[in-house]
Amino acid sequence: MQILAHEAMTVGVGSVKSSSACSLQSSDSGEEIVIQTEEDVLAKAIKVRNVFLIGALLPGVGCYFCVAWTYIFQFQENIMEFQSIGNCNGTHSYIPPISYTIGVWSPQRYIWMFIVIAHFPARFLFVVLYRRVFLGNSPRHFSYRWVLNCFMVTMILEPVGLVSVTVLDINLFVLHCVSYAVWLIPFNFNMLFSVLLHHFSRVRKSNAMHERTWRLKLILFITGMIVSLSTAVTYPYFMATCNEYAYYAFSMAEYSLVTYNSMFYFLAYFEFPEMKITFGVKELHTVQRIKVHPQRIIEERQFRKNQKLLVLADKLDKF
């Protein structure tokens, strides 16, 4: 047997389930085998669920870290002397909105910017994986595809809105409010679309874990929607009446929504337990094997061919 070998280099990111892989292709001229071993991988294979921890929990933990920093190290200068801006300029609150903590006061705003940048790539991984999951288990109906496409759009808009809230100063009041809406509204639609797609696809019935995560998503969506709608009432009411209790209610709803956001996306940690991704460069060894028949097989074939010729010659002689 004659063996011809060559090497191929591939660069990219792909999902794998183990540290080695092998594929086989057959053709008339021979067999081609691509073998990838641990020594061939010049990259790091990590579980997707570890990336989900960054995308889901890092913003929540980072936000509360900034809030804790304010209350511990800046209580006198920022909490005791805090006053709202706008129509109700001068209203004091011991629970200022999160926008001040992560967007105005230092060094919290710089810590928060770093957190947003760090979690941004991980958040887009949610878009890729959920599209593959829900598209691979999709029923044949146009409304399902329409909801899935809308889900992809809102999944992209949500982190864009979060970046806008972070970058735009709160003194740019109108733009800041629009950015907050671009974050909050897509987040609620993400919960709604995820619940619908999870239910009408075959994912929910695939195992008991997906059934539990669907139920938790439904609870988070219903309660989170109520909390979100409350902000659309409490803040306009505060701006109209300067009622400090409405301001407290709005701020508490903001803090709650941070928790809801992290908890909702953290459920993906249980939905993709074994999937892995590989970052970097992989070296694939391609081995082409050309079939060469052994001499014994050739002799046997020639013998059978001669036997057939002898039988045919006997028949001709008799004829």
Side-chain angles (χ1 to χ4, degrees):
M1 177 178 293
Q2 182 182 3
I3 300 178
L4 302 177
H6 64 277
E7 295 182 352
M9 298 293 294
T10 62
V11 180
V13 178
S15 60
V16 296
K17 291 186 177 181
S18 62
S19 58
S20 62
C22 177
S23 63
L24 173 64
Q25 295 180 347
S26 299
S27 63
D28 295 336
S29 60
E31 296 178 348
E32 185 178 274
I33 301 177
V34 179
I35 302 174
Q36 177 189 336
T37 63
E38 279 191 21
E39 291 76 18
D40 300 324
V41 179
L42 307 178
K44 177 64 176 177
I46 61 176
K47 285 189 175 182
V48 169
R49 64 193 314 183
N50 296 332
V51 181
F52 285 159
L53 291 179
I54 299 175
L57 298 184
L58 184 60
V61 174
C63 181
Y64 287 124
F65 174 82
C66 294
V67 172
W69 183 286
T70 303
Y71 279 90
I72 294 173
F73 299 106
Q74 301 175 349
F75 184 81
Q76 184 63 37
E77 58 181 303
N78 287 334
I79 301 300
M80 293 298 296
E81 300 180 5
F82 171 77
Q83 293 181 350
S84 64
I85 62 174
N87 296 336
C88 297
N89 188 18
T91 303
H92 179 264
S93 174
Y94 286 102
I95 309 178
I98 293 180
S99 298
Y100 288 91
T101 303
I102 64 176
V104 178
W105 299 327
S106 299
Q108 297 93 307
R109 62 176 302 180
Y110 302 109
I111 297 174
W112 176 248
M113 285 183 181
F114 172 77
I115 291 171
V116 170
I117 294 173
H119 103 288
F120 204 75
R123 184 55 67 93
F124 275 101
L125 184 62
F126 285 90
V127 181
V128 177
L129 292 181
Y130 273 120
R131 183 180 184 279
R132 292 184 60 182
V133 169
F134 291 133
L135 190 62
N137 296 274
S138 61
R140 297 177 179 271
H141 200 280
F142 75 95
S143 59
Y144 182 92
R145 294 297 183 92
W146 183 83
V147 173
L148 180 59
N149 292 334
C150 292
F151 182 49
M152 296 298 102
V153 173
T154 54
M155 285 284 286
I156 295 174
L157 285 178
E158 182 190 337
V160 171
L162 183 61
V163 173
S164 300
V165 171
T166 303
V167 174
L168 294 176
D169 193 277
I170 195 171
N171 292 315
L172 303 173
F173 184 72
V174 176
L175 292 177
H176 189 80
C177 291
V178 172
S179 300
Y180 176 76
V182 172
W183 171 77
L184 183 60
I185 295 174
F187 169 56
N188 283 273
F189 274 106
N190 286 340
M191 292 192 291
L192 172 62
F193 293 148
S194 181
V195 169
L196 292 175
L197 294 170
H198 206 140
H199 174 72
F200 288 103
S201 67
R202 294 185 291 270
V203 175
R204 179 186 173 187
K205 298 180 180 179
S206 60
N207 55 57
M209 178 58 69
H210 281 288
E211 176 66 24
R212 288 192 291 268
T213 56
W214 180 83
R215 292 179 183 273
L216 290 174
K217 284 182 179 180
L218 182 61
I219 295 173
L220 290 173
F221 165 66
I222 295 174
T223 56
M225 177 66 73
I226 295 173
V227 175
S228 299
L229 291 175
S230 72
T231 62
V233 176
T234 54
Y235 194 77
Y237 182 76
F238 163 71
M239 295 296 290
T241 63
C242 297
N243 186 297
E244 62 176 315
Y245 295 106
Y247 204 38
Y248 276 115
F250 172 77
S251 299
M252 292 299 296
E254 273 195 326
Y255 285 95
S256 300
L257 288 172
V258 172
T259 303
Y260 272 92
N261 189 274
S262 291
M263 290 178 61
F264 184 82
Y265 290 108
F266 178 65
L267 293 177
Y269 181 85
F270 304 99
E271 294 177 332
F272 302 93
E274 299 298 332
M275 184 175 291
K276 294 182 180 179
I277 56 175
T278 301
F279 295 93
V281 180
K282 293 189 299 183
E283 183 179 3
L284 302 181
H285 297 282
T286 303
V287 180
Q288 184 178 10
R289 295 181 179 178
I290 301 177
K291 291 182 179 180
V292 179
H293 298 293
Q295 185 64 27
R296 181 176 57 84
I297 298 177
I298 297 176
E299 292 177 354
E300 290 181 356
R301 290 182 176 178
Q302 187 63 37
F303 176 76
R304 287 195 296 268
K305 184 178 180 180
N306 293 337
Q307 289 293 107
K308 292 180 179 179
L309 291 175
L310 291 175
V311 172
L312 181 61
D314 290 341
K315 290 183 180 181
L316 291 174
D317 291 342
K318 292 179 181 179
F319 179 78

